[in-house]
Amino acid sequence: MDKKEAEERILRLRKELNRHNYNYYVLSQPEISNFEYDMMLNDLIEFEKRFPEFYNENSPTQRIGDDRNQVFVQKKHKYPMLSLGNTYSQDELNDFDTRVKKIIGNDFEYICELKYDGAAISLQYIDGKLKQAVTRGDGERGDDVTANVKTIKSIPLILRGDNYPPLFEIRGEIFMSREGFSKLNAEMEKKGKTLFANPRNTTAGTLKMLDSSIVAKRPLDCFLYHLLCDQLPSDSHFENLEKAKSWGFKVSPHITKCKGINEVFDFISKWDTERKGLPFDIDGVVLKVNSYRNQKQLGFIAKSPRWAISYKFEAEQAVTQLLSVDFQVGRTGAITPVANLKPVLLAGTTVKRASLHNADQIKLLDLHYGDTVFIEKGGEIIPKIIEVDRSARKPGSTAIRFIDFCPGCGSKLNRKEGEAQHYCPNETGCPLQIKGKITHFASRKVMDIDGLGEETIDLLYEKRFIKSIADLYELKKETLIPLERFAEKSADNIINGLEESKNVSFSRVLFGLGIRHVGETAAKTLTNNFRSIDALMNAGFDELMDINEIGTRIAQSIIDFFSKTENLEIVNRLKKYGLKFELSEDEKELRSSKLEGLNIVISGTFENHSRDELKDIIEKNGGKNASSLSSKTNYLLAGNNMGPSKKEKARKLNIDIISEDDFLKMIQ
Ligand code: IVH
């Protein structure tokens, strides 16, 4: 092949590869398979090797990165990279709106965008080619990270079309999708390496890596949100972004023109609920005055523009200090480490404790006394520690060590092969386990025995009136009255509560027995399938495993539980006292799969049924009852006095709202 032919081939391959790259990474509409793409890229690599005179810094082959360490050179920004004023309050947004109107009047538009949670980048293009990529730095100067940024496939190295300005800058946010982040962490785990804390920190860290060939393997992406140029194509920010889109940039589809602050509030409330469904993290919304002419009129205060502001969703992360760690013994003997923290405000509540899950988690975090820690509130009530700021650790501080012996009874703890949790093996003798089991049994979600809280159970245990859940049913009013804090009424309460608990359904009684791994849902599955405790007790391992949703862990735990005489004795005594150990006739009848696969949220109060009854009906007919609305919800079962925000949220998520009557018709 002669040189001319080679050059033509190289140029053709580059053009084709750029086109497929754009289809895949910007439009998400690939035309060829990954394999075909890789073959084409390999061809180009070969040709460029054989004909080095045709090297080009913006060839698709440059996206692979280079494993030779680079040094980051500081570059001055042609236009300073400003930060944004931010607020968490709608009142302050109203104030912002008032200030804007005072200066430019009422005739203008806002553009609302998402506030992507990653790392800011400024890209410079000369004659349609990516020249440099610089981080924000101090706003005046940043690090030249061009080699790393070239590996990000959604950032064009060469622009499409020909109507772009000869020299311009475009700014945006580099981020990592949640899926990309999880995959990356799964790989790290496989290799036995420390896991990354969250997509944002991973993005920022990756961008500053010295070896761009590693960056090329990380799933970075980029949304562009700000065009800067001495001669902009349009006076409208919105239209400039549309232009940028046509040149091949990835611009978010969730950009909305708003007339007036009320439409801005609508945009905010929409994304406050829908953000969880996005494939990437956002931490708020950015609001910008659309016209550049208006932007000029408004100008700047200090380092932030007066024409833009960000509204941040309530922070779900906070930084605080680890004071100590408690090791709690649960009712099944599981040991849970809990961190005591210096109190800190997080999403509207003061947080003093955080869950640490198990020994592996402490090790993974490399937790030391006095550490500065990042905490996060997920769906759980108790927040968790997600990362430690090691740079803030005081020299000589001691690492947190998991305990070897049970704080309740001194037994040596054990940990089963393949399980994360440590357990106290002394199931029938450890006071903390026994008290935990009784407290669980009496709790609202289980037997719902009025007046029998943790403190009362502590007292009754210390006085040796109860040693197991069965002993509760031997309690007499006369024994309770002389006890401190007891009076006629409180004693009556407990005795009546115990009597009423004899009507509680079989599945809740089973849940109340406290069999390890048998939670509320597993108990329901088991009672639906076996219908009586005798059938369940006689079931072998295989028979248990035949049931959908019952795995080896639960099956083995049930076998273990019923193989112990102490447990059999408790069950027999409870039977004798009259607790339910089989499905009632009603329950046997009321069972269908009419709601199978449906996710139903209950809200408000109802004419004919309590919420718990409705929940029961949903589950008995194969449906799922979730506590909050999400994109997975199929129906909102709405009663009286339902909050307007819930209704609004259901409407936005397109969820059907049904009445109690509608619901009952569904299962008839
Ligand atoms: S506009 C002068 N738009 O938020 C206007 N910023 O302090 C400058 N960010 O780190 C920024 N999403 O990287 C703008 N849609 C968006 C944004 C956004 C995220 C980041 C930006 C910067 C911070 C603002």
Side-chain angles (χ1 to χ4, degrees), residues 52-91:
E53 56 274 46
F54 300 126
Y55 165 83
N56 181 296
E57 61 177 1
N58 288 320
S59 163
T61 55
Q62 298 306 300
R63 291 193 186 275
I64 303 165
D66 185 334
D67 62 5
R68 284 169 301 185
N69 276 1
Q70 45 181 332
V71 245
F72 297 124
V73 179
Q74 290 249 313
K75 291 268 168 71
K76 190 171 168 9
H77 295 293
K78 180 167 154 60
Y79 311 92
M81 245 176 128
L82 304 165
S83 57
L84 281 176
N86 65 54
T87 174
Y88 291 92
S89 108
Q90 301 214 343
D91 287 347

mmCIF file of all heavy atoms in Angstrom, residues 52-91:
data_model
loop_
_atom_site.group_PDB
_atom_site.id
_atom_site.type_symbol
_atom_site.label_atom_id
_atom_site.label_comp_id
_atom_site.label_asym_id
_atom_site.label_seq_id
_atom_site.Cartn_x
_atom_site.Cartn_y
_atom_site.Cartn_z
ATOM 1 N N PRO A 52 3.602 6.548 10.798
ATOM 2 C CA PRO A 52 3.569 7.530 11.896
ATOM 3 C C PRO A 52 3.508 8.981 11.401
ATOM 4 O O PRO A 52 3.127 9.872 12.160
ATOM 5 C CB PRO A 52 4.878 7.265 12.660
ATOM 6 C CG PRO A 52 5.711 6.419 11.775
ATOM 7 C CD PRO A 52 4.830 5.756 10.777
ATOM 8 N N GLU A 53 3.842 9.193 10.126
ATOM 9 C CA GLU A 53 3.793 10.575 9.618
ATOM 10 C C GLU A 53 2.369 11.126 9.606
ATOM 11 O O GLU A 53 2.163 12.322 9.515
ATOM 12 C CB GLU A 53 4.432 10.689 8.222
ATOM 13 C CG GLU A 53 3.861 9.783 7.145
ATOM 14 C CD GLU A 53 4.503 8.387 7.111
ATOM 15 O OE1 GLU A 53 4.651 7.785 8.196
ATOM 16 O OE2 GLU A 53 4.848 7.921 6.030
ATOM 17 N N PHE A 54 1.372 10.224 9.730
ATOM 18 C CA PHE A 54 -0.020 10.713 9.736
ATOM 19 C C PHE A 54 -0.590 10.835 11.150
ATOM 20 O O PHE A 54 -1.796 10.873 11.350
ATOM 21 C CB PHE A 54 -0.914 9.787 8.880
ATOM 22 C CG PHE A 54 -0.460 9.713 7.456
ATOM 23 C CD1 PHE A 54 -0.205 8.486 6.853
ATOM 24 C CD2 PHE A 54 -0.251 10.874 6.726
ATOM 25 C CE1 PHE A 54 0.243 8.420 5.541
ATOM 26 C CE2 PHE A 54 0.200 10.814 5.408
ATOM 27 C CZ PHE A 54 0.456 9.586 4.812
ATOM 28 N N TYR A 55 0.302 10.913 12.124
ATOM 29 C CA TYR A 55 -0.151 11.074 13.522
ATOM 30 C C TYR A 55 -1.067 12.291 13.641
ATOM 31 O O TYR A 55 -0.814 13.320 13.002
ATOM 32 C CB TYR A 55 1.069 11.252 14.454
ATOM 33 C CG TYR A 55 0.688 11.772 15.823
ATOM 34 C CD1 TYR A 55 0.232 10.896 16.808
ATOM 35 C CD2 TYR A 55 0.742 13.150 16.119
ATOM 36 C CE1 TYR A 55 -0.152 11.372 18.053
ATOM 37 C CE2 TYR A 55 0.361 13.628 17.360
ATOM 38 C CZ TYR A 55 -0.084 12.727 18.322
ATOM 39 O OH TYR A 55 -0.478 13.200 19.550
ATOM 40 N N ASN A 56 -2.089 12.165 14.439
ATOM 41 C CA ASN A 56 -2.945 13.316 14.705
ATOM 42 C C ASN A 56 -3.408 13.262 16.155
ATOM 43 O O ASN A 56 -3.889 12.228 16.609
ATOM 44 C CB ASN A 56 -4.154 13.291 13.760
ATOM 45 C CG ASN A 56 -5.056 14.485 13.985
ATOM 46 O OD1 ASN A 56 -5.636 14.638 15.064
ATOM 47 N ND2 ASN A 56 -5.159 15.341 12.990
ATOM 48 N N GLU A 57 -3.249 14.383 16.847
ATOM 49 C CA GLU A 57 -3.546 14.366 18.292
ATOM 50 C C GLU A 57 -5.025 14.163 18.589
ATOM 51 O O GLU A 57 -5.400 13.876 19.721
ATOM 52 C CB GLU A 57 -3.048 15.655 18.953
ATOM 53 C CG GLU A 57 -3.715 16.887 18.384
ATOM 54 C CD GLU A 57 -3.314 18.178 19.060
ATOM 55 O OE1 GLU A 57 -2.487 18.132 19.978
ATOM 56 O OE2 GLU A 57 -3.846 19.232 18.658
ATOM 57 N N ASN A 58 -5.883 14.343 17.592
ATOM 58 C CA ASN A 58 -7.308 14.134 17.843
ATOM 59 C C ASN A 58 -7.861 12.882 17.172
ATOM 60 O O ASN A 58 -9.066 12.746 16.983
ATOM 61 C CB ASN A 58 -8.110 15.360 17.419
ATOM 62 C CG ASN A 58 -7.873 16.509 18.376
ATOM 63 O OD1 ASN A 58 -7.802 16.294 19.584
ATOM 64 N ND2 ASN A 58 -7.696 17.701 17.850
ATOM 65 N N SER A 59 -6.967 11.972 16.821
ATOM 66 C CA SER A 59 -7.424 10.713 16.238
ATOM 67 C C SER A 59 -8.146 9.892 17.318
ATOM 68 O O SER A 59 -7.784 9.964 18.502
ATOM 69 C CB SER A 59 -6.217 9.935 15.733
ATOM 70 O OG SER A 59 -6.570 8.582 15.536
ATOM 71 N N PRO A 60 -9.156 9.103 16.920
ATOM 72 C CA PRO A 60 -9.842 8.256 17.916
ATOM 73 C C PRO A 60 -8.874 7.342 18.674
ATOM 74 O O PRO A 60 -9.179 6.925 19.795
ATOM 75 C CB PRO A 60 -10.810 7.421 17.074
ATOM 76 C CG PRO A 60 -11.010 8.187 15.819
ATOM 77 C CD PRO A 60 -9.756 8.970 15.581
ATOM 78 N N THR A 61 -7.726 7.054 18.109
ATOM 79 C CA THR A 61 -6.766 6.192 18.823
ATOM 80 C C THR A 61 -6.212 6.892 20.065
ATOM 81 O O THR A 61 -5.731 6.234 20.984
ATOM 82 C CB THR A 61 -5.573 5.818 17.916
ATOM 83 O OG1 THR A 61 -5.008 7.038 17.422
ATOM 84 C CG2 THR A 61 -5.995 4.931 16.772
ATOM 85 N N GLN A 62 -6.302 8.212 20.103
ATOM 86 C CA GLN A 62 -5.773 8.948 21.259
ATOM 87 C C GLN A 62 -6.662 8.792 22.500
ATOM 88 O O GLN A 62 -6.312 9.225 23.586
ATOM 89 C CB GLN A 62 -5.606 10.439 20.923
ATOM 90 C CG GLN A 62 -4.634 10.707 19.797
ATOM 91 C CD GLN A 62 -3.285 10.070 20.068
ATOM 92 O OE1 GLN A 62 -2.621 10.374 21.048
ATOM 93 N NE2 GLN A 62 -2.870 9.150 19.201
ATOM 94 N N ARG A 63 -7.826 8.172 22.314
ATOM 95 C CA ARG A 63 -8.725 7.984 23.455
ATOM 96 C C ARG A 63 -8.304 6.822 24.355
ATOM 97 O O ARG A 63 -8.886 6.605 25.400
ATOM 98 C CB ARG A 63 -10.144 7.705 22.963
ATOM 99 C CG ARG A 63 -10.818 8.887 22.296
ATOM 100 C CD ARG A 63 -12.275 8.575 22.159
ATOM 101 N NE ARG A 63 -13.046 9.558 21.421
ATOM 102 C CZ ARG A 63 -13.578 10.654 21.949
ATOM 103 N NH1 ARG A 63 -13.353 10.940 23.209
ATOM 104 N NH2 ARG A 63 -14.301 11.466 21.217
ATOM 105 N N ILE A 64 -7.331 6.061 23.905
ATOM 106 C CA ILE A 64 -6.920 4.888 24.694
ATOM 107 C C ILE A 64 -6.066 5.294 25.894
ATOM 108 O O ILE A 64 -5.922 4.560 26.860
ATOM 109 C CB ILE A 64 -6.145 3.890 23.795
ATOM 110 C CG1 ILE A 64 -7.025 3.497 22.606
ATOM 111 C CG2 ILE A 64 -5.730 2.654 24.547
ATOM 112 C CD1 ILE A 64 -6.262 2.834 21.501
ATOM 113 N N GLY A 65 -5.498 6.489 25.819
ATOM 114 C CA GLY A 65 -4.655 6.958 26.924
ATOM 115 C C GLY A 65 -3.238 6.460 26.776
ATOM 116 O O GLY A 65 -2.908 5.702 25.856
ATOM 117 N N ASP A 66 -2.419 6.920 27.710
ATOM 118 C CA ASP A 66 -0.988 6.614 27.645
ATOM 119 C C ASP A 66 -0.545 6.303 29.065
ATOM 120 O O ASP A 66 -0.864 7.047 29.994
ATOM 121 C CB ASP A 66 -0.276 7.876 27.126
ATOM 122 C CG ASP A 66 1.192 7.625 26.895
ATOM 123 O OD1 ASP A 66 1.741 6.715 27.556
ATOM 124 O OD2 ASP A 66 1.785 8.335 26.071
ATOM 125 N N ASP A 67 0.164 5.186 29.238
ATOM 126 C CA ASP A 67 0.491 4.818 30.620
ATOM 127 C C ASP A 67 1.762 5.490 31.152
ATOM 128 O O ASP A 67 2.178 5.223 32.268
ATOM 129 C CB ASP A 67 0.547 3.297 30.784
ATOM 130 C CG ASP A 67 1.608 2.666 29.927
ATOM 131 O OD1 ASP A 67 2.369 3.432 29.281
ATOM 132 O OD2 ASP A 67 1.683 1.428 29.895
ATOM 133 N N ARG A 68 2.343 6.377 30.325
ATOM 134 C CA ARG A 68 3.497 7.108 30.878
ATOM 135 C C ARG A 68 2.958 8.239 31.755
ATOM 136 O O ARG A 68 2.027 8.936 31.356
ATOM 137 C CB ARG A 68 4.350 7.695 29.749
ATOM 138 C CG ARG A 68 5.191 6.638 29.065
ATOM 139 C CD ARG A 68 5.796 7.174 27.829
ATOM 140 N NE ARG A 68 4.758 7.642 26.898
ATOM 141 C CZ ARG A 68 4.999 8.077 25.678
ATOM 142 N NH1 ARG A 68 6.227 8.144 25.224
ATOM 143 N NH2 ARG A 68 4.022 8.471 24.893
ATOM 144 N N ASN A 69 3.541 8.366 32.943
ATOM 145 C CA ASN A 69 3.041 9.394 33.865
ATOM 146 C C ASN A 69 3.114 10.791 33.266
ATOM 147 O O ASN A 69 4.095 11.171 32.661
ATOM 148 C CB ASN A 69 3.853 9.389 35.157
ATOM 149 C CG ASN A 69 3.321 8.339 36.087
ATOM 150 O OD1 ASN A 69 2.377 7.631 35.742
ATOM 151 N ND2 ASN A 69 3.917 8.225 37.259
ATOM 152 N N GLN A 70 2.059 11.518 33.424
ATOM 153 C CA GLN A 70 2.053 12.887 32.921
ATOM 154 C C GLN A 70 2.227 13.849 34.097
ATOM 155 O O GLN A 70 2.051 13.474 35.245
ATOM 156 C CB GLN A 70 0.740 13.155 32.209
ATOM 157 C CG GLN A 70 -0.465 12.650 32.978
ATOM 158 C CD GLN A 70 -1.773 12.892 32.252
ATOM 159 O OE1 GLN A 70 -1.877 13.824 31.485
ATOM 160 N NE2 GLN A 70 -2.760 12.084 32.533
ATOM 161 N N VAL A 71 2.595 15.076 33.783
ATOM 162 C CA VAL A 71 2.595 16.105 34.825
ATOM 163 C C VAL A 71 1.512 17.091 34.427
ATOM 164 O O VAL A 71 1.367 17.397 33.248
ATOM 165 C CB VAL A 71 3.927 16.907 34.879
ATOM 166 C CG1 VAL A 71 4.649 16.676 36.174
ATOM 167 C CG2 VAL A 71 4.796 16.650 33.685
ATOM 168 N N PHE A 72 0.750 17.538 35.393
ATOM 169 C CA PHE A 72 -0.301 18.483 35.055
ATOM 170 C C PHE A 72 0.268 19.903 35.055
ATOM 171 O O PHE A 72 0.830 20.360 36.040
ATOM 172 C CB PHE A 72 -1.454 18.383 36.046
ATOM 173 C CG PHE A 72 -2.128 17.047 36.018
ATOM 174 C CD1 PHE A 72 -2.255 16.291 37.163
ATOM 175 C CD2 PHE A 72 -2.629 16.544 34.828
ATOM 176 C CE1 PHE A 72 -2.884 15.061 37.133
ATOM 177 C CE2 PHE A 72 -3.254 15.306 34.776
ATOM 178 C CZ PHE A 72 -3.377 14.562 35.932
ATOM 179 N N VAL A 73 0.084 20.563 33.923
ATOM 180 C CA VAL A 73 0.559 21.942 33.811
ATOM 181 C C VAL A 73 -0.618 22.856 34.133
ATOM 182 O O VAL A 73 -1.747 22.580 33.743
ATOM 183 C CB VAL A 73 1.034 22.204 32.359
ATOM 184 C CG1 VAL A 73 1.521 23.629 32.198
ATOM 185 C CG2 VAL A 73 2.109 21.214 31.974
ATOM 186 N N GLN A 74 -0.345 23.910 34.866
ATOM 187 C CA GLN A 74 -1.424 24.863 35.182
ATOM 188 C C GLN A 74 -1.687 25.762 33.979
ATOM 189 O O GLN A 74 -0.751 26.246 33.353
ATOM 190 C CB GLN A 74 -0.987 25.717 36.364
ATOM 191 C CG GLN A 74 -0.923 24.953 37.656
ATOM 192 C CD GLN A 74 -2.017 25.397 38.602
ATOM 193 O OE1 GLN A 74 -2.236 26.572 38.789
ATOM 194 N NE2 GLN A 74 -2.712 24.445 39.172
ATOM 195 N N LYS A 75 -2.962 25.948 33.668
ATOM 196 C CA LYS A 75 -3.315 26.839 32.546
ATOM 197 C C LYS A 75 -4.286 27.900 33.047
ATOM 198 O O LYS A 75 -5.155 27.617 33.872
ATOM 199 C CB LYS A 75 -4.003 26.033 31.435
ATOM 200 C CG LYS A 75 -3.101 25.047 30.705
ATOM 201 C CD LYS A 75 -2.461 25.671 29.471
ATOM 202 C CE LYS A 75 -1.336 24.826 28.893
ATOM 203 N NZ LYS A 75 -1.790 23.611 28.262
ATOM 204 N N LYS A 76 -4.128 29.117 32.479
ATOM 205 C CA LYS A 76 -5.025 30.204 32.879
ATOM 206 C C LYS A 76 -6.312 30.108 32.060
ATOM 207 O O LYS A 76 -6.255 29.821 30.861
ATOM 208 C CB LYS A 76 -4.327 31.541 32.611
ATOM 209 C CG LYS A 76 -5.038 32.735 33.183
ATOM 210 C CD LYS A 76 -4.142 33.969 33.036
ATOM 211 C CE LYS A 76 -4.787 35.299 33.287
ATOM 212 N NZ LYS A 76 -6.055 35.463 33.813
ATOM 213 N N HIS A 77 -7.447 30.307 32.714
ATOM 214 C CA HIS A 77 -8.712 30.288 31.969
ATOM 215 C C HIS A 77 -8.878 31.596 31.202
ATOM 216 O O HIS A 77 -8.653 32.666 31.759
ATOM 217 C CB HIS A 77 -9.903 30.145 32.929
ATOM 218 C CG HIS A 77 -9.934 28.830 33.652
ATOM 219 N ND1 HIS A 77 -10.146 27.642 33.007
ATOM 220 C CD2 HIS A 77 -9.777 28.515 34.962
ATOM 221 C CE1 HIS A 77 -10.123 26.656 33.888
ATOM 222 N NE2 HIS A 77 -9.894 27.161 35.090
ATOM 223 N N LYS A 78 -9.292 31.494 29.935
ATOM 224 C CA LYS A 78 -9.522 32.713 29.148
ATOM 225 C C LYS A 78 -10.677 33.503 29.774
ATOM 226 O O LYS A 78 -10.626 34.717 29.880
ATOM 227 C CB LYS A 78 -9.863 32.311 27.709
ATOM 228 C CG LYS A 78 -10.118 33.464 26.766
ATOM 229 C CD LYS A 78 -10.127 32.929 25.332
ATOM 230 C CE LYS A 78 -10.923 33.728 24.344
ATOM 231 N NZ LYS A 78 -10.629 35.066 24.083
ATOM 232 N N TYR A 79 -11.730 32.816 30.169
ATOM 233 C CA TYR A 79 -12.825 33.442 30.909
ATOM 234 C C TYR A 79 -12.797 32.811 32.302
ATOM 235 O O TYR A 79 -12.766 31.575 32.388
ATOM 236 C CB TYR A 79 -14.184 33.132 30.266
ATOM 237 C CG TYR A 79 -14.222 33.371 28.768
ATOM 238 C CD1 TYR A 79 -13.937 32.328 27.881
ATOM 239 C CD2 TYR A 79 -14.535 34.621 28.254
ATOM 240 C CE1 TYR A 79 -13.971 32.532 26.510
ATOM 241 C CE2 TYR A 79 -14.573 34.831 26.878
ATOM 242 C CZ TYR A 79 -14.283 33.775 26.013
ATOM 243 O OH TYR A 79 -14.314 33.984 24.659
ATOM 244 N N PRO A 80 -12.766 33.611 33.375
ATOM 245 C CA PRO A 80 -12.677 32.989 34.705
ATOM 246 C C PRO A 80 -13.802 31.984 34.932
ATOM 247 O O PRO A 80 -14.900 32.155 34.409
ATOM 248 C CB PRO A 80 -12.792 34.167 35.671
ATOM 249 C CG PRO A 80 -13.149 35.347 34.859
ATOM 250 C CD PRO A 80 -12.868 35.060 33.431
ATOM 251 N N MET A 81 -13.492 30.946 35.680
ATOM 252 C CA MET A 81 -14.505 29.920 35.935
ATOM 253 C C MET A 81 -15.178 30.224 37.263
ATOM 254 O O MET A 81 -14.614 29.997 38.331
ATOM 255 C CB MET A 81 -13.841 28.546 35.986
ATOM 256 C CG MET A 81 -14.295 27.654 34.871
ATOM 257 S SD MET A 81 -13.434 26.113 34.871
ATOM 258 C CE MET A 81 -14.791 24.976 34.833
ATOM 259 N N LEU A 82 -16.388 30.776 37.170
ATOM 260 C CA LEU A 82 -17.059 31.263 38.370
ATOM 261 C C LEU A 82 -17.756 30.145 39.117
ATOM 262 O O LEU A 82 -18.000 29.087 38.574
ATOM 263 C CB LEU A 82 -18.089 32.301 37.951
ATOM 264 C CG LEU A 82 -17.518 33.460 37.152
ATOM 265 C CD1 LEU A 82 -18.621 34.231 36.477
ATOM 266 C CD2 LEU A 82 -16.707 34.366 38.076
ATOM 267 N N SER A 83 -18.053 30.458 40.372
ATOM 268 C CA SER A 83 -18.878 29.482 41.077
ATOM 269 C C SER A 83 -20.298 30.044 41.145
ATOM 270 O O SER A 83 -20.550 31.169 40.714
ATOM 271 C CB SER A 83 -18.327 29.210 42.461
ATOM 272 O OG SER A 83 -18.259 30.410 43.158
ATOM 273 N N LEU A 84 -21.181 29.276 41.696
ATOM 274 C CA LEU A 84 -22.574 29.706 41.752
ATOM 275 C C LEU A 84 -22.985 29.955 43.186
ATOM 276 O O LEU A 84 -22.592 29.212 44.077
ATOM 277 C CB LEU A 84 -23.474 28.586 41.236
ATOM 278 C CG LEU A 84 -23.609 28.389 39.751
ATOM 279 C CD1 LEU A 84 -24.464 27.176 39.471
ATOM 280 C CD2 LEU A 84 -24.260 29.615 39.140
ATOM 281 N N GLY A 85 -23.798 30.987 43.386
ATOM 282 C CA GLY A 85 -24.392 31.158 44.707
ATOM 283 C C GLY A 85 -25.365 30.006 44.882
ATOM 284 O O GLY A 85 -25.946 29.540 43.907
ATOM 285 N N ASN A 86 -25.511 29.507 46.111
ATOM 286 C CA ASN A 86 -26.509 28.453 46.231
ATOM 287 C C ASN A 86 -27.402 28.632 47.448
ATOM 288 O O ASN A 86 -27.067 29.358 48.376
ATOM 289 C CB ASN A 86 -25.865 27.074 46.205
ATOM 290 C CG ASN A 86 -24.977 26.833 47.387
ATOM 291 O OD1 ASN A 86 -25.401 26.983 48.523
ATOM 292 N ND2 ASN A 86 -23.724 26.474 47.128
ATOM 293 N N THR A 87 -28.530 27.989 47.384
ATOM 294 C CA THR A 87 -29.498 28.101 48.470
ATOM 295 C C THR A 87 -30.261 26.795 48.630
ATOM 296 O O THR A 87 -30.341 26.001 47.698
ATOM 297 C CB THR A 87 -30.492 29.251 48.194
ATOM 298 O OG1 THR A 87 -31.483 29.205 49.212
ATOM 299 C CG2 THR A 87 -31.186 29.093 46.856
ATOM 300 N N TYR A 88 -30.791 26.590 49.837
ATOM 301 C CA TYR A 88 -31.651 25.432 50.083
ATOM 302 C C TYR A 88 -33.089 25.886 50.270
ATOM 303 O O TYR A 88 -33.964 25.096 50.527
ATOM 304 C CB TYR A 88 -31.207 24.700 51.362
ATOM 305 C CG TYR A 88 -29.889 24.007 51.244
ATOM 306 C CD1 TYR A 88 -28.709 24.641 51.598
ATOM 307 C CD2 TYR A 88 -29.823 22.706 50.762
ATOM 308 C CE1 TYR A 88 -27.486 24.002 51.483
ATOM 309 C CE2 TYR A 88 -28.606 22.054 50.638
ATOM 310 C CZ TYR A 88 -27.441 22.709 50.998
ATOM 311 O OH TYR A 88 -26.245 22.074 50.878
ATOM 312 N N SER A 89 -33.288 27.231 50.178
ATOM 313 C CA SER A 89 -34.624 27.698 50.558
ATOM 314 C C SER A 89 -35.356 28.366 49.400
ATOM 315 O O SER A 89 -34.772 29.100 48.603
ATOM 316 C CB SER A 89 -34.498 28.650 51.757
ATOM 317 O OG SER A 89 -34.741 29.972 51.368
ATOM 318 N N GLN A 90 -36.644 28.108 49.315
ATOM 319 C CA GLN A 90 -37.460 28.688 48.256
ATOM 320 C C GLN A 90 -37.617 30.197 48.476
ATOM 321 O O GLN A 90 -37.714 30.949 47.518
ATOM 322 C CB GLN A 90 -38.815 27.981 48.221
ATOM 323 C CG GLN A 90 -38.648 26.491 47.979
ATOM 324 C CD GLN A 90 -39.781 25.889 47.158
ATOM 325 O OE1 GLN A 90 -40.849 26.471 47.014
ATOM 326 N NE2 GLN A 90 -39.550 24.715 46.614
ATOM 327 N N ASP A 91 -37.610 30.621 49.746
ATOM 328 C CA ASP A 91 -37.703 32.061 50.028
ATOM 329 C C ASP A 91 -36.536 32.795 49.385
ATOM 330 O O ASP A 91 -36.691 33.863 48.794
ATOM 331 C CB ASP A 91 -37.665 32.318 51.539
ATOM 332 C CG ASP A 91 -38.974 31.916 52.202
ATOM 333 O OD1 ASP A 91 -39.941 31.693 51.456
ATOM 334 O OD2 ASP A 91 -39.001 31.808 53.441
#
